Amino acid sequence: MTTQTLAAPPSAGGTTGPQRSRLARWTGPRTPARLRRIGIVLTLASLVTAVISLVSGISRAGAIDDAGNRDASLTQAAGEIYQALADADAMATSGYVSSGQEPPAIRARYDADLSRAGRRLAEASRLITPDDPAAKPLDVMITGLPAYTGLIETARTYNRQGLPLGQSYLAQASTQMRTQLLPAAQSLRHTEVSALNADYQRASALPIAVVVFGLALLFIALDFSRKEFRRTRRRLNPSVAAACCAVVAGLLWWTVATVSTGNALADANEASDAATALDEASTLVLQARSNESLVLVARSGGSASDDDFTGQIDRLLAGDGPLAVAGANGVDVAGIREATGTWVDAHKNLREADDEGRYADALQAAVSTDEGSSGSAFTVLDKAVGDAGDTARARLSAATGDAGDASALLGFGPAVLFALAAAGFAIGIARRVEEYR
């Protein structure tokens, strides 16, 4: 008689014995299953932290790169355009005052200003897309600058011929500069400064996700180690300990980089604000010079136009004016204020001579380089503001470079440490599991 062996009936849940055994290795209440679950949690958490760190680091490096390259270049270009246009207008009016053939030095400076503005406009047009907010003011300058230069050349032609009609063209050109070109340049500069400041904020922001995941990972690992010590009295799991050290190192890397980058970008932000304020100060000085010359060109006694001169100087020296802003951002403006006072005194002497009918004396005061003349005082003030602006821009470049150095390898360094922590947790817990076989 043949005896048949009956197969064991399936379990109530439909899972066979071997399948249930494999599942129990991960879900059962026994120590190996618990260790496997903890190992998976720690390993995956470490890998997730590594990915978040990588993305955050690359994003921060990109923001610093934008701040140090595209946006910084556009901001500097906008500032140079703004200053070059104002300087060109001041040189055009100063040259006209000389009557007939303008001094070669003034003409050369005017041509250099136009060349610099045109070069910077071309650079900006290559970096600014048509849908960019800065595209509109850029277009105003690109289309308006040829019209301005045409008016200036017409004014020069009439001036060489001794015809007073040139005054009208000069006044029209200067009006276009003040009401169209300079406001457009200022709008472009403000747009790019805002973009640069946004880069600074993004680059110096605290990586909250990395900190939260990293601290949570460290807490879970330390809690696991503490419980294992209580159960087994084993003081150290070398791989898990090394993994914890890697997590701490990754968090410290982020902390040091964030503090260092934040300090460097704070200095860069101050330097940027100072450079912007000094560009504004330079433009006010140049516009005041242009107004001074226009009064002499018109031979009107100067009440209306001289009010414009006074207005520019008042804005320059105001408590919330550009010199105050520059001073609040680390620039020593005492010399600039002193030079401004000297020019104002020289300008008063010029106005007195003109108002008293001594036009030749007033004209000589405007164009002379002798000490005490308005022309000489303007030159000293213009150089003082320009030198301060160059120093601020050098400081900005150095601070942005320091921020880049502080964030070097930030995208990959901490991520590698967190990935090594994942390997350490996996190896360390796997060895503990092996001990139960």
Side-chain angles (χ1 to χ4, degrees):
M1 181 177 179
T2 304
T3 303
Q4 295 182 345
T5 303
L6 298 178
S11 63
T15 303
T16 64
Q19 291 175 329
R20 183 170 56 186
S21 177
R22 286 193 296 270
L23 186 60
R25 294 180 62 202
W26 301 95
T27 62
R30 298 175 63 83
T31 297
R34 179 181 56 81
L35 290 174
R36 290 188 183 97
R37 292 195 299 270
I38 293 176
I40 290 175
V41 169
L42 290 174
T43 301
L44 289 179
S46 298
L47 293 175
V48 169
T49 306
V51 172
I52 295 175
S53 178
L54 179 63
V55 172
S56 299
I58 292 176
S59 175
R60 174 166 297 198
I64 294 175
D65 185 63
D66 288 343
N69 292 297
R70 179 190 179 278
D71 290 337
S73 297
L74 282 173
T75 301
Q76 183 175 352
E80 287 192 22
I81 292 169
Y82 188 56
Q83 190 173 6
L85 292 179
D87 193 69
D89 193 52
M91 293 303 102
T93 54
S94 297
Y96 195 95
V97 167
S98 301
S99 299
Q101 188 69 34
E102 61 190 321
I106 291 180
R107 181 56 191 256
R109 182 168 169 176
Y110 170 83
D111 290 339
D113 287 331
L114 291 184
S115 176
R116 181 160 57 113
R119 186 170 59 253
R120 286 302 197 177
L121 284 171
E123 292 175 3
S125 65
R126 288 194 294 269
L127 295 173
I128 294 175
T129 58
D131 58 344
D132 193 295
K136 184 175 181 180
L138 181 65
D139 184 63
V140 170
M141 288 183 286
I142 290 175
T143 57
L145 188 56
Y148 170 82
T149 56
L151 291 171
I152 292 295
E153 291 306 317
T154 302
R156 280 183 175 138
T157 300
Y158 284 118
N159 192 37
R160 293 190 190 101
Q161 297 172 1
L163 300 175
L165 186 59
Q167 299 175 13
S168 175
Y169 285 95
L170 181 67
Q172 185 178 350
S174 188
T175 298
Q176 182 192 10
M177 178 64 73
R178 292 194 308 271
T179 61
Q180 296 180 24
L181 297 181
L182 285 179
Q186 190 172 31
S187 176
L188 174 64
R189 188 186 60 174
H190 286 168
T191 299
E192 297 309 324
V193 167
S194 297
L196 184 62
N197 289 337
D199 286 335
Y200 289 154
Q201 292 177 359
R202 184 160 59 98
S204 59
L206 180 68
I208 296 177
V210 176
V211 173
V212 170
F213 272 82
L215 290 178
L217 173 61
L218 189 60
F219 174 78
I220 295 172
L222 293 177
D223 184 64
F224 161 73
S225 298
R226 179 180 61 84
K227 291 178 179 178
E228 283 300 296
F229 170 73
R230 286 182 176 180
R231 289 190 182 95
T232 65
R233 296 299 176 183
R234 296 180 61 176
R235 293 183 177 276
L236 182 66
N237 183 320
S239 297
V240 173
C244 290
C245 290
V247 173
V248 171
L251 291 174
L252 286 177
W253 192 327
W254 265 106
T255 301
V256 172
T258 298
V259 172
S260 300
T261 302
N263 291 337
L265 290 178
D267 188 39
N269 199 22
E270 281 192 358
S272 175
D273 290 343
T276 300
L278 290 167
D279 285 343
E280 177 68 21
S282 177
T283 301
L284 290 174
V285 169
L286 292 168
Q287 286 183 305
R289 175 64 170 175
S290 180
N291 288 328
E292 181 182 66
S293 300
L294 285 172
V295 173
L296 293 176
V297 168
R299 301 187 185 184
S300 62
S303 58
S305 293
D306 200 50
D307 286 344
D308 291 338
F309 176 93
T310 303
Q312 306 293 358
I313 297 300
D314 287 344
R315 287 174 57 194
L316 177 68
L317 299 176
D320 58 349
L323 289 186
V325 174
N329 286 281
V331 179
D332 183 4
V333 296
I336 298 176
R337 290 186 180 275
E338 182 180 354
T340 302
T342 301
W343 187 34
V344 169
D345 291 339
H347 173 78
K348 289 179 180 178
N349 294 333
L350 180 153
R351 293 303 326 133
E352 287 178 3
D354 190 27
D355 292 340
E356 292 171 0
R358 295 182 286 115
Y359 180 74
D361 292 341
L363 182 61
Q364 179 63 23
V367 301
S368 175
T369 58
D370 296 338
E371 185 176 355
S373 68
S374 180
S376 175
F378 161 74
T379 300
V380 171
L381 175 58
D382 183 50
K383 185 177 187 304
V385 177
D387 289 346
D390 291 341
T391 300
R393 279 183 282 273
R395 176 185 163 198
L396 170 60
S397 178
T400 305
D402 290 342
D405 294 340
S407 63
L409 301 179
L410 186 59
F412 297 96
V416 170
L417 290 173
F418 292 130
L420 291 175
F425 287 131
I427 294 172
I429 294 178
R431 288 178 177 173
R432 289 286 293 120
V433 173
E434 289 293 329
E435 294 174 359
Y436 285 88
R437 289 189 174 182

